[in-house]
């Protein structure tokens, strides 16, 4: 069973999410929180696998709560709920450690698939969507950017090439076609890139590629 903590300040939405998740068969809602300020204590109390996190809440918002959750050793994964796919808070939530985001009007089946993916350790944000977020926020002064690019020195030429294509929004299959490789080989390269750079998933890899200047926003 996947243990899920639901965090949202709207009671009606929490009730709807609980109904969907409890009927999934492989998920259990272990708690509900109405504000980010409650999240840390509830994570300690309920030990969820995934926190379904609203991004906009009145006191402690989802970005700050995500940062606190992901700072815990062995803490749960965070899947952000948002109203708009270019919400100005989503980029900050990804940087804070969220494994991705979904829209509040998503279909129930897609919501369940996203939770399962995040519980497995995958990132569920499509790279092209992540790229749009980054292009909107890189260089706005909201973060201490850019990085120097020294982080990329550990990568081979092929790995840098793969990372560039990942950051441009290509899937593993598309990268394989572009570079005349098998999809399994591309997956292996992506895994090595994440390990060498100490990154959690390809979302963080895309962010790092932009911050290091490997590709430029809007390019």
């Amino acid at each position: 069973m996947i243990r899920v903590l639901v965090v949202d300040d709207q009671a009606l939405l929490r009730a709807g999410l609980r109904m969907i998740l409890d009927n999934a068969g492989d998920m259990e809602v272990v708690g509900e929180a109405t504000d980010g300020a409650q999240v840390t204590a509830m994570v300690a109390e309920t030990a969820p696998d995934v926190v379904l996190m609203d991004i906009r809440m009145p006191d402690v918002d989802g970005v700050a709560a995500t940062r606190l959750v992901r700072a815990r050793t062995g803490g749960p994964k965070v899947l952000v709920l948002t109203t708009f796919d270019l919400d100005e808070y989503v980029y900050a939530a990804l940087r804070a450690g969220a494994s991705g985001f979904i829209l509040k009007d998503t279909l129930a089946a897609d919501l369940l698939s996203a939770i399962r993916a995040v519980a497995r350790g995958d990132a569920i944000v499509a790279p092209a969507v992540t790229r749009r977020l980054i292009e909107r926020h890189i260089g706005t002064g909201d973060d201490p950017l850019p990085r120097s690019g020294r982080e990329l020195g550990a990568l081979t030429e092929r790995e840098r090439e793969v990372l560039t294509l990942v950051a441009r929004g290509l899937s593993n299959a598309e990268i394989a076609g572009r570079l005349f490789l098998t999809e399994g080989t591309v997956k292996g390269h992506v895994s090595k890139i994440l390990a060498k750079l100490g990154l959690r998933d390809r979302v963080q890899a895309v962010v790092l590629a932009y911050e290091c200047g490997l590709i430029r926003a809007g390019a």
Side-chain angles (χ1 to χ4, degrees):
M1 297 290 286
I2 301 173
R3 298 169 59 83
V4 182
L5 173 63
V6 176
V7 184
D8 197 286
D9 61 339
Q10 299 181 31
L12 186 61
L13 184 58
R14 292 198 310 276
L17 290 170
R18 175 180 281 275
M19 181 177 67
I20 293 170
L21 271 56
D22 282 344
N23 288 330
D26 61 344
M27 298 183 192
E28 175 188 6
V29 176
V30 295
E32 298 179 17
T34 61
D35 184 80
Q38 303 171 0
V39 172
T40 302
M42 292 205 67
V43 165
E45 178 183 344
T46 63
D49 301 305
V50 176
V51 177
L52 198 55
M53 183 83 75
D54 185 20
I55 199 71
R56 295 185 178 183
M57 292 178 286
D59 295 323
V60 177
D61 67 20
V63 174
T66 295
R67 190 173 294 112
L68 291 172
V69 168
R70 294 303 300 159
R72 295 174 58 90
T73 302
K77 303 294 191 302
V78 176
L79 180 60
V80 167
L81 283 169
T82 184
T83 304
F84 304 104
D85 67 346
L86 288 180
D87 189 313
E88 62 268 25
Y89 296 111
V90 172
Y91 175 67
L94 294 175
R95 286 184 57 83
S99 293
F101 69 91
I102 56 173
L103 301 181
K104 288 188 175 181
D105 63 355
T106 193
L107 297 175
D110 293 335
L111 168 64
L112 297 177
S113 295
I115 293 173
R116 293 182 184 113
V118 168
R120 292 194 303 267
D122 295 334
I124 59 86
V125 183
V129 176
T130 307
R131 182 183 61 195
R132 295 207 313 270
L133 286 166
I134 291 170
E135 288 176 352
R136 178 169 174 171
H137 292 284
I138 284 287
T140 61
D142 296 333
D143 298 292
L145 304 177
R147 299 191 192 186
S148 66
R150 287 193 298 270
E151 292 91 338
L152 303 181
L155 303 182
T156 65
E157 183 177 351
R158 175 64 85 185
E159 288 165 352
R160 287 173 67 96
E161 192 173 14
V162 170
L163 177 57
T164 300
L165 295 177
V166 167
R168 287 178 175 163
L170 276 67
S171 67
N172 286 347
E174 291 169 333
I175 295 171
R178 181 76 65 86
L179 299 181
F180 304 102
L181 302 171
T182 67
E183 189 171 351
T185 299
V186 173
K187 289 180 180 178
H189 283 311
V190 172
S191 295
K192 289 179 181 178
I193 291 166
L194 299 181
K196 286 183 177 181
L197 299 179
L199 303 175
R200 185 188 66 249
D201 51 43
R202 66 192 295 145
V203 173
Q204 289 190 339
V206 174
V207 172
L208 180 66
Y210 274 87
E211 292 180 350
C212 288
L214 187 62
I215 61 175
R216 298 189 309 275

